[in-house]
């Protein structure tokens, strides 16, 4: 993955709205990471396929462990890097509201936008 197993590596593309969610979380904090741009380079796609055979982005690799799906990646960052800005509130009720908005954005907005980009 990189020179050091502790590095964060994000497989994604900035045109993907799902990758944008993760990029916002990474840059808001800021947490150092390497972006493996999924474009025309088949070697990077092959790396992604080795981690996640369905080849869907984003995938974050944290200390050698792949984490899939944007919302799960954001929750992982909150848990793994608690000293940084939290994307999911600590209060249970507020956290439910954020998760509800996240699901609505994913199912009602981002899925439609992503179809246009694709």
């Amino acid at each position: 993955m990189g020179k050091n197993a502790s590095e964060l590596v994000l497989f994604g593309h900035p045109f993907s709205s799902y990758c944008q969610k993760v990029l916002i979380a990474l840059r808001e904090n800021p947490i150092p990471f390497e972006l493996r741009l999924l474009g025309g380079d088949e070697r990077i796609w092959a790396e992604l396929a080795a981690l996640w055979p369905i080849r869907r982005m984003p995938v974050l690799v944290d200390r050698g462990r792949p984490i899939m799906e944007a919302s799960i990646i954001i929750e992982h960052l909150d848990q793994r890097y608690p000293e940084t800005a939290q994307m999911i509130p600590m209060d249970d009720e507020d956290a439910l509201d954020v998760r509800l908005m996240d699901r609505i954005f994913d199912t009602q907005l981002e899925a439609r936008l992503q179809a246009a980009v694709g």
Side-chain angles (χ1 to χ4, degrees):
M1 281 299 120
K3 294 176 222 118
N4 184 340
S6 65
E7 292 179 0
L8 290 177
V9 177
L10 177 65
F11 288 83
H13 194 283
F15 290 167
S16 162
S17 57
Y18 299 106
C19 292
Q20 281 295 324
K21 287 172 52 174
V22 175
L23 289 168
I24 288 168
L26 286 165
R27 290 180 175 142
E28 177 66 22
N29 283 305
I31 300 170
F33 70 99
E34 174 188 344
L35 176 62
R36 296 276 172 95
L37 187 61
L38 293 164
D41 189 337
E42 284 303 315
R43 293 171 297 180
I44 296 174
W45 280 103
E47 285 181 57
L48 176 67
L51 296 166
W52 188 229
I54 64 172
R55 295 171 41 123
R56 301 282 298 249
M57 63 177 121
V59 170
L60 180 76
V61 180
D62 187 355
R63 296 185 167 98
R65 177 182 178 205
I67 296 99
M68 293 72 163
E69 300 294 330
S71 298
I72 302 303
I73 292 170
I74 291 168
E75 293 225 19
H76 170 81
L77 293 171
D78 273 0
Q79 292 172 8
R80 188 75 175 89
Y81 301 90
E83 67 281 0
T84 60
Q86 297 291 289
M87 300 292 110
I88 309 295
M90 298 298 283
D91 178 79
D92 291 342
E93 293 297 318
D94 291 340
L96 289 175
D97 290 341
V98 167
R99 286 184 180 97
L100 173 62
M101 288 187 295
D102 178 64
R103 297 310 313 139
I104 289 171
F105 291 142
D106 277 358
T107 60
Q108 302 302 314
L109 179 66
E110 290 189 45
R112 293 179 180 149
L113 290 173
Q114 208 51 50
V117 171

